[in-house]
C-alpha cells in the first residue's frame, strides 16, 4: 500500500472547446470539462446512463497539444492527479474547486 499515490485515469468526451490561457511568463494553461458515462440497468430493467462531469486543467506542452488538436466532443483518455483549491468571488464568497491536473493525454476515435 505504500506505493499508492494520487492518480486518476479517465476516458471521456470533451464537454466544451478547451479554454487556452497564456500567462505573462509564457506558460500555457488549458481548461476543459470531461464527461464520463456509466451505463446500468435499473430495478425495472431499463438502461440508464449516468454522466459525471470533471474539470480538467493541463499545463505547458500538454496544453499546447490540447490547443492544437482538441475540440468539443472529442474522446480522450487522460491521466493526472486530483487537486483541490479555494478562491474568493468578487462578492467575498469562498468557493471550492476540485480539478484533475492532466499530465498525459491520449486522443481516441477519429
Amino acid at each position: 500500500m505504500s506505493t499508492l499515490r494520487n492518480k486518476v485515469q479517465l476516458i471521456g468526451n470533451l464537454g466544451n472547446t478547451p479554454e487556452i490561457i497564456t500567462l505573462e511568463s509564457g506558460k500555457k494553461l488549458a481548461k476543459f470539462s470531461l464527461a464520463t458515462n456509466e451505463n446500468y440497468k435499473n430495478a425495472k430493467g431499463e438502461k440508464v446512463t449516468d454522466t459525471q462531469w470533471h474539470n480538467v486543467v493541463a499545463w505547458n506542452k500538454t496544453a499546447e497539444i490540447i490547443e492544437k488538436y482538441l475540440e468539443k466532443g472529442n474522446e480522450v483518455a487522460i491521466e493526472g492527479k486530483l487537486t483541490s483549491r479555494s478562491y474568493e468571488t468578487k462578492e467575498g464568497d469562498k468557493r471550492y474547486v476540485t480539478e484533475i491536473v492532466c499530465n498525459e493525454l491520449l486522443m481516441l476515435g477519429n
Side-chain angles (χ1 to χ4, degrees):
M1 291 290 254
S2 63
T3 60
L4 292 180
R5 59 186 172 148
N6 182 357
K7 184 176 181 179
V8 177
Q9 295 178 318
L10 296 172
I11 295 176
N13 296 86
L14 272 70
N16 57 338
T17 298
E19 175 187 356
I20 307 298
I21 300 166
T22 304
L23 305 176
E24 289 179 17
S25 64
K27 289 184 178 182
K28 285 204 175 188
L29 169 65
K31 294 178 166 185
F32 60 94
S33 61
L34 186 73
T36 56
N37 295 315
E38 181 180 358
N39 297 310
Y40 62 92
K41 290 190 178 182
N42 64 15
K44 296 179 183 177
E46 301 164 332
K47 182 181 173 185
V48 178
T49 300
D50 179 35
T51 302
Q52 296 291 317
W53 289 94
H54 312 276
N55 295 319
V56 181
V57 297
W59 292 91
N60 303 320
K61 294 283 185 196
T62 308
E64 290 173 16
I65 291 167
I66 290 168
E67 178 181 33
K68 193 170 183 179
Y69 296 107
L70 296 185
E71 58 188 36
K72 180 179 180 175
N74 287 147
E75 186 179 26
V76 295
I78 65 164
E79 182 175 297
K81 65 179 181 177
L82 277 178
T83 60
S84 296
R85 62 182 174 85
S86 63
Y87 65 94
E88 246 183 56
T89 64
K90 294 177 196 169
E91 296 78 29
D93 297 327
K94 196 162 193 172
R95 299 272 193 249
Y96 297 91
V97 179
T98 300
E99 299 169 318
I100 298 164
V101 177
C102 174
N103 54 31
E104 287 195 43
L105 173 82
L106 179 63
M107 293 174 267
L108 305 172
N110 295 332

